[in-house]
Amino acid sequence: MFRMFGATLLLAMREIRRHLLRSFLTTLGIVIGVAAVVTMVTLGNGVTASVQNQISSLGSNVLIVLPTRGSGSQVAWRPFKEADVTAVSEQIAGVEYVAGSVSKNVNAYHNGQVWQTSVRGADMAFLLAQSMQVERGRGFTSAEESAGKDVCIIGQKVEQQIFVAGIEPMGETMRLANVPCTVVGVMKERGTSGGGQDEDNQVIMPLKTVQRRFTGNNDLQYFVVKYASGYSGTAVQDALVQLLRQRRLLQAGEGNNFNIIDTAQVNQAVSAATGALTAMVAAIAAISLAVGGIGIMNIMLVSVTERTREIGIRLAIGALAREVRMQFLTEAVVLCCFGGLTGLVLAFALSFGLSKAIDVPFMFSPMVNVLSFLFSALMGIAFGYYPARRASRLDPIEALRHE
Amino acid sequence: MTPPAPPLIELEGITKVFGTGDAAFQALRGVDMQIESGDFVAVMGPSGSGKSTTMNILGCLDTPTSGVFRFRGMEVQALDRDQRSLLRRRYLGFVFQGFNLLARTSALENVELPLLYRGEKKSVRRAAAMKALDQVGLAPWADHTPAELSGGQQQRVAIARALVTEPDVLLADEPTGNLDTERSAEIMHLLQELNRGGITILMVTHEAEMAAFAHNIIHFRDGLVERIETGKDA
Ligand SMILES: Nc1ncnc2c1ncn2[C@@H]1O[C@H](COP(=O)(O)OP(=O)(O)O)[C@@H](O)[C@H]1O
Ligand SMILES: [Mg+2]
């Protein structure tokens, strides 16, 4: 049985080599189908990973709370106050800490140079919740935060623009608008945030300092709520909505004039979106593969007709119907496997190149590759079966008479 | 004395109808014959008299419409397709007028083919195929393809292929039909030699000179055995 299989395999290879161009053209549908699926899935995984990377940079177990205009109602826009932050941290179960932030566009001056940037008022708790890290120098001390000292941590772009390359900026004094401040640290590079803001082009000062010297009030642009990992995001969110509605004097029936973003939910939404995309690609690929399969079936039928006499000879010298069927089935499967393999090589090159081009990680998935390959082999069986059965059912005497 | 063994091949009232209804054609109308082990039989008769149809039935390539076909005393007329294939690959060798070798395949591989279907391993196949090619005098041509061989050589490869399984019976339907007189005589000498080695041979031919090599001659006419000429004995 095994011996027979080896010989059948060799025979199939030889037959395919004999019609190399025809075999290649026949498998093109499968090549393209497999290449499309594997490339899209690989790229999709890369995009998902890249997006999730960005989202996780927002921090996990973190809710972001922003004031908004109440949807379609007369509810006024209202900023959050320090008191809101205190209330949230004191009254909601599971909250580890709450930290607010404000920001303002300003010019930064140093060493006779000027650079457009923004100043962000934020304490270390805020930076922690947002996974923002100090790369060099140090963060703010709690004394600096509570006293509202004129200290700052600068983004990398600010450092490049107005500080001397190669010399550590720590201890230097720079000016933001007309406020002088001492550089104590440099932020780790972060790239552009989900909101489109360049997070490397900003100067961070303690919240109190910015409120006092730049915005002139104790309003908060938004705040983040970090909750303990044992608590569910939705439970904390519900409590938060209730508390904020009450504090913002909203009547029943009035919409929320604030918005809560749950990073976990964003994550889910992105997965759902990529999932839908993947499903669509899979559908397109399925059509392409079906077309490819019909191509295989067609060429196998041609092959059976061309080789009628050969089949007759094999049957006449004692081949069983199932042995002839196996021979043609093997040929179809080998053909499809070659197509699948070519598709995989193509997909590797394509997805490698494209992921570099759109700047997402190259996520080679052995699973997807193996499954696609197995699927193309399965196509060989599905579409090779009918021609193979036809070959095996030929009448030996008539097949021998065939010219 | 032991009871006489049954004849190797026995046909009783074999009929064969091709087609159905108005298009039905009775090619065989009750053929009877007995072939003993070791016989060398020639089958003659006009074209269309049913010689090939009979050979195909004997070769288990076809089944009779009615009648009894015993091989070594066993009734085989009702065997299914796979069983007939198994019988064929074990006991029967078939040689055709048109040689019917696989193109673009070496003589050696052609001869090996029946052994492949028998599941022999490569070394066994090689050795047996070389031996068979040697028997027909073609060992030096083992790696030539049919296109590189003359008609006579091709037919000898086909005979080697039929011999390689060491069958009981060699069935040959006009084996010299495509060959000139000289090549035909070579083939006949080969068959005669093989018959002396013990193999039973049944051969269809048009030519009396070829039939003269056989012990017995069966004459066909209109789907019936017309007469049997019993000639010299071995
Ligand atoms: N498959 C077939 N279908 C219909 N008629 C057939 C078939 N095979 C043979 N015949 C007819 O049966 C008769 C006997 O054919 P055959 O045995 O080949 O004769 P021959 O003695 O020349 O070998 C012929 O008339 C032929 O036309
Ligand atoms: Mg004939």
Side-chain angles (χ1 to χ4, degrees), chain B residues 147-178:
Chain B
E148 297 163 348
L149 298 171
S150 71
Q153 287 173 323
Q154 286 185 53
Q155 192 59 300
R156 281 194 277 161
V157 173
I159 291 171
R161 184 179 62 190
L163 288 178
V164 77
T165 58
E166 300 182 340
D168 289 3
V169 187
L170 188 69
L171 299 159
D173 193 352
E174 302 194 39
T176 60
N178 287 2

Side-chain angles (χ1 to χ4, degrees), chain A residues 401, chain B residues 46-53 55-56 97 173-174 204 206:
Chain A
R401 263 202 289 265
Chain B
S47 191
S49 57
K51 306 182 296 291
S52 293
T53 305
M55 291 296 270
N56 289 339
Q97 178 177 355
D173 193 352
E174 302 194 39
V204 173
H206 275 306

Side-chain angles (χ1 to χ4, degrees), chain A residues 183-250:
Chain A
V183 177
V184 297
V186 178
M187 296 302 295
K188 194 171 164 185
E189 190 174 336
R190 218 165 133 79
T192 306
S193 75
Q197 189 191 347
D198 184 351
E199 297 202 4
D200 295 324
N201 184 16
Q202 63 180 349
V203 177
I204 296 159
M205 294 181 82
L207 177 62
K208 196 166 258 175
T209 316
V210 176
Q211 284 175 332
R212 198 160 57 204
R213 309 198 61 156
F214 291 89
T215 61
N217 55 38
N218 70 349
D219 291 356
L220 294 172
Q221 214 171 36
Y222 66 97
F223 62 88
V224 295
V225 178
K226 169 86 175 173
Y227 56 90
S229 49
Y231 288 80
S232 94
T234 29
V236 175
Q237 207 170 332
D238 290 347
L240 203 52
V241 169
Q242 212 176 359
L243 177 66
L244 289 176
R245 284 186 66 88
Q246 190 188 326
R247 290 188 60 83
R248 291 162 80 85
L249 307 170
L250 293 175

Side-chain angles (χ1 to χ4, degrees), chain B residues 63-106:
Chain B
T63 47
T65 306
S66 69
V68 178
F69 167 19
R70 285 192 205 88
F71 184 79
R72 293 180 152 194
M74 177 186 72
E75 293 194 10
V76 299
Q77 74 273 5
L79 293 182
D80 71 17
R81 218 182 130 156
D82 277 354
Q83 289 169 323
R84 278 185 281 134
S85 289
L86 292 173
L87 187 92
R88 193 156 64 236
R89 69 160 75 152
R90 172 66 189 84
Y91 296 107
L92 307 173
F94 219 111
V95 176
F96 306 88
Q97 178 177 355
F99 319 141
N100 283 330
L101 299 175
L102 291 186
R104 294 174 298 247
T105 305
S106 73

Side-chain angles (χ1 to χ4, degrees), chain A residues 33 76 223 287 333:
Chain A
F223 62 88
I287 294 169
V333 171

Side-chain angles (χ1 to χ4, degrees), chain B:
Chain B
M1 285 268 310
T2 50
L8 184 65
I9 290 170
E10 219 174 347
L11 297 186
E12 270 177 34
I14 292 288
T15 69
K16 179 73 188 178
V17 180
F18 290 111
T20 51
D22 284 346
F25 177 82
Q26 187 156 25
L28 297 181
R29 300 189 290 140
V31 171
D32 300 311
M33 67 167 75
Q34 291 194 352
I35 314 274
E36 299 296 336
S37 190
D39 267 1
F40 186 170
V41 179
V43 176
M44 296 191 77
S47 191
S49 57
K51 306 182 296 291
S52 293
T53 305
T54 307
M55 291 296 270
N56 289 339
I57 289 170
L58 290 173
C60 291
L61 291 170
D62 208 349
T63 47
T65 306
S66 69
V68 178
F69 167 19
R70 285 192 205 88
F71 184 79
R72 293 180 152 194
M74 177 186 72
E75 293 194 10
V76 299
Q77 74 273 5
L79 293 182
D80 71 17
R81 218 182 130 156
D82 277 354
Q83 289 169 323
R84 278 185 281 134
S85 289
L86 292 173
L87 187 92
R88 193 156 64 236
R89 69 160 75 152
R90 172 66 189 84
Y91 296 107
L92 307 173
F94 219 111
V95 176
F96 306 88
Q97 178 177 355
F99 319 141
N100 283 330
L101 299 175
L102 291 186
R104 294 174 298 247
T105 305
S106 73
L108 186 66
E109 284 174 301
N110 263 292
V111 177
E112 273 184 38
L113 205 56
L115 298 177
L116 183 68
Y117 286 113
R118 264 201 197 176
E120 302 291 357
K121 50 176 203 215
K122 186 156 184 143
S123 54
V124 173
R125 295 201 306 259
R126 275 285 128 97
M130 275 317 289
K131 189 179 147 219
L133 278 174
D134 195 43
Q135 255 182 302
V136 300
L138 277 186
W141 280 269
D143 54 1
H144 288 229
T145 63
E148 297 163 348
L149 298 171
S150 71
Q153 287 173 323
Q154 286 185 53
Q155 192 59 300
R156 281 194 277 161
V157 173
I159 291 171
R161 184 179 62 190
L163 288 178
V164 77
T165 58
E166 300 182 340
D168 289 3
V169 187
L170 188 69
L171 299 159
D173 193 352
E174 302 194 39
T176 60
N178 287 2
L179 302 176
D180 61 38
T181 320
E182 204 177 325
R183 306 288 146 229
S184 299
E186 277 175 28
I187 296 292
M188 293 321 297
H189 283 295
L190 176 59
L191 291 182
Q192 197 168 39
E193 205 179 303
L194 293 171
N195 176 247
R196 287 192 183 126
I199 191 165
T200 310
I201 295 180
L202 210 74
M203 170 192 76
V204 173
T205 181
H206 275 306
E207 297 154 279
E209 307 142 61
M210 305 305 150
F213 284 87
H215 312 156
N216 306 317
I217 303 175
I218 300 178
H219 290 272
F220 267 71
R221 181 174 293 277
D222 295 335
L224 283 170
V225 174
E226 186 189 40
R227 67 197 159 88
I228 300 176
E229 248 179 274
T230 345
K232 50 197 172 170
D233 259 315

